[in-house]
Amino acid sequence: MRRDVQKQYNLPTEIRFCKLCTVSNQRPRITFDEEGVCSACNYAKFKRNGIDWDQRERELLELCDKHRKTNGEYDVIVPCSGGKDGSFVAHQLKYKYGMNPLAVTWAPLNATAIGRQNLDAFIASGFNHILGTPNPIVTRKLTSLAFKHLGDPFQPFIYGQTNYPLHMAVKHNVQLIMYGENGEVEYGGDMKNAFKPNREIADHDKHYFSGLPPEFWAEHGVSLAELYPFMAPKFEDTVRNGTDIHFFGYYKFWDPQENYYYCLEHTGFTPNNERSEGTYSKYASLDDKIDGFHYYLAYIKFGIGRTTSDTAHEIRDNRITREEGVALVQRYDGEFPKKHYQEFLDYCDIAEDDFHAVIDSWRADHIWEQDGNDWRLRKPVWQS
Ligand SMILES: [Zn+2]
């Protein structure tokens, strides 16, 4: 079966690359200006030159003061995983801004040892922490279904990662939830929140769930009782609680590499001893053995793999040049995640042929051409 990927994600037929970074116009919701510069690069320029960061920090202090509690209750929820970004945010809020955070982690689908080690080290650096762990049998079932039907095995994790902090906010009477960066803004996407510190709860479905909330899977034989841990709290409960979602990246200059250095020093963070498959970095997104397949599917659907995303951000942060970025993309982007491949097949209970049939069903004609048994990008960044 082939799918109409282009229509589903509203992808332009003519592939164009940003003049400044490595990302193309195939990233869903990204926009390009008349000079051929992507919205994320324009935002990065604005971030460096157009924002008064002292003023933003004053806004952060005001926000903290507004939510700060004196009765011992938690005053902010920080969604985290033990990775560099959430740990940085939680540590700053607690030790620099004097807040009383509750760190909340939604369990990885299939945890790695290094991810668990970093989570433990983070907690040990002085945090109250809650781990949400759904029934692993249901998680497996959902991962397999999401891989087959959505082309993204990561979707069940995204449900919990998004919804569990909302539950904990209601349960613990906490109004403020502080995320790290606004991915839509930092990586290219819907810019409507670029100049706002917070996010509409109502946007959750659209940006994170591809329009398919957890309840959708009832159609595929998953019971509502099984789906319950993945669902959002009742919308009216979230509204009644006054839940307000903010991004730390609005208040403080967001630089993933600086976060990494910060966590090395303060939260016991350890990078991996080898680079992650599909990219050249050793310190981002280490928690889940399913990760590699999430990034690989993005490469299949959009021609945008993990190295494209990583280099684009590093070019915008002036860490590498565009030329270096393009060379890294040519070398690593779309590398098959072979390390956990057999485990992935077992985990999803899927045969190898079926796995490749699913992968190939997500290849759009305007992105891929077939050459014998091989698939080739029609327009890679190094030939553009
Ligand atoms: Zn760009």
Side-chain angles (χ1 to χ4, degrees):
M1 182 181 72
R2 292 293 289 282
R3 297 160 194 276
D4 198 341
V5 182
Q6 192 176 1
K7 191 165 161 221
Q8 185 172 339
Y9 291 97
N10 197 21
L11 307 178
T13 301
E14 192 203 337
I15 298 171
R16 286 166 53 209
F17 289 89
C18 174
K19 292 275 189 302
L20 299 182
C21 72
T22 47
V23 86
S24 78
N25 61 352
Q26 303 297 300
R27 185 177 158 94
R29 301 185 294 278
I30 203 167
T31 52
F32 280 53
D33 69 12
E34 312 79 62
E35 267 93 67
V37 175
C38 77
S39 47
C41 281
N42 276 320
Y43 177 72
K45 218 184 309 169
F46 176 72
K47 213 170 94 172
R48 266 196 305 278
N49 305 317
I51 295 178
D52 178 349
W53 289 104
D54 293 333
Q55 169 57 27
R56 289 285 175 90
E57 190 174 28
R58 285 193 288 276
E59 289 179 43
L60 175 61
L61 287 167
E62 267 171 46
L63 181 77
C64 288
D65 286 343
K66 181 181 157 197
H67 289 280
R68 207 184 295 283
K69 291 180 184 166
T70 52
N71 63 355
E73 286 181 11
Y74 301 117
D75 41 35
V76 57
I77 283 179
V78 182
C80 67
S81 66
K84 68 192 188 322
D85 296 332
S87 303
F88 165 72
V89 173
H91 198 274
Q92 283 259 305
L93 283 172
K94 176 163 181 171
Y95 291 104
K96 184 163 185 196
Y97 298 101
M99 298 295 278
N100 181 23
L102 173 62
V104 169
T105 300
W106 183 250
L109 302 169
N110 193 4
T112 62
I114 182 82
R116 183 68 220 199
Q117 180 192 322
N118 279 322
L119 178 59
D120 288 340
F122 161 71
I123 298 166
S125 72
F127 288 92
N128 294 312
H129 175 261
I130 294 186
L131 178 65
T133 311
N135 178 345
I137 297 168
V138 178
T139 302
R140 273 179 66 175
K141 188 152 73 169
L142 279 175
T143 303
S144 181
L145 283 169
F147 171 66
K148 288 174 193 159
H149 295 278
L150 286 184
D152 188 358
F154 218 46
Q155 192 65 22
F157 176 76
I158 297 170
Y159 288 144
Q161 188 193 37
T162 309
N163 287 333
Y164 192 60
L166 294 174
H167 278 289
M168 291 303 103
V170 171
K171 182 174 161 54
H172 292 280
N173 184 36
V174 179
Q175 284 65 52
L176 178 61
I177 300 179
M178 187 66 86
Y179 276 93
E181 82 274 48
N182 183 344
E184 284 290 301
V185 173
E186 293 274 343
Y187 304 115
D190 190 338
M191 297 302 282
K192 80 172 191 190
N193 292 331
F195 309 105
K196 281 175 60 182
N198 57 350
R199 173 168 77 203
E200 308 292 332
I201 305 271
D203 280 352
H204 272 210
D205 253 24
K206 192 172 68 182
H207 288 169
Y208 298 97
F209 302 161
S210 315
L212 297 177
E215 293 84 331
F216 164 79
W217 300 102
E219 284 175 29
H220 290 272
V222 190
S223 75
L224 287 175
E226 290 176 315
L227 290 169
Y228 182 74
F230 297 88
M231 293 180 198
K234 288 197 192 80
F235 188 65
E236 57 267 32
D237 288 348
T238 294
V239 172
R240 197 181 309 124
N241 182 56
T243 309
D244 199 6
I245 297 176
H246 285 248
F247 294 102
F248 206 64
Y250 170 87
Y251 298 102
K252 304 270 282 188
F253 191 92
W254 188 261
D255 184 333
Q257 198 164 334
E258 289 300 326
N259 296 354
Y260 163 60
Y261 294 137
Y262 184 93
C263 290
L264 280 180
E265 190 178 340
H266 297 287
T267 72
F269 186 83
T270 312
N272 220 343
N273 52 15
E274 56 186 358
R275 67 176 179 82
S276 303
E277 287 174 306
T279 189
Y280 54 98
S281 88
K282 294 181 176 181
Y283 59 74
S285 198
L286 306 175
D287 316 318
D288 203 319
K289 294 178 185 171
I290 307 293
D291 256 12
F293 297 90
H294 169 66
Y295 290 109
Y296 187 68
L297 262 301
Y299 175 70
I300 299 297
K301 287 176 181 174
F302 313 121
I304 294 175
R306 195 167 175 177
T307 309
T308 299
S309 303
D310 287 350
T311 52
H313 209 284
E314 289 211 325
I315 293 166
R316 291 173 204 135
D317 291 341
N318 291 329
R319 302 269 178 200
I320 57 173
T321 64
R322 186 174 191 276
E323 209 181 350
E324 288 166 331
V326 168
L328 286 164
V329 171
Q330 183 168 13
R331 180 149 182 204
Y332 295 119
D333 215 26
E335 179 186 23
F336 188 80
K338 57 186 178 309
K339 197 166 136 194
H340 301 301
Y341 178 46
Q342 188 57 51
E343 196 170 341
F344 182 82
L345 296 177
D346 296 342
Y347 185 87
C348 290
D349 192 21
I350 188 168
E352 197 159 2
D353 286 354
D354 295 333
F355 172 89
H356 287 291
V358 170
I359 297 284
D360 290 341
S361 76
W362 290 98
R363 292 183 196 270
D365 285 335
H366 74 296
I367 295 180
W368 293 99
E369 59 188 340
Q370 200 162 11
D371 176 16
N373 283 331
D374 293 331
W375 289 94
R376 252 205 318 254
L377 286 174
R378 283 185 190 276
K379 193 175 173 187
V381 68
W382 59 90
Q383 284 171 9
S384 67

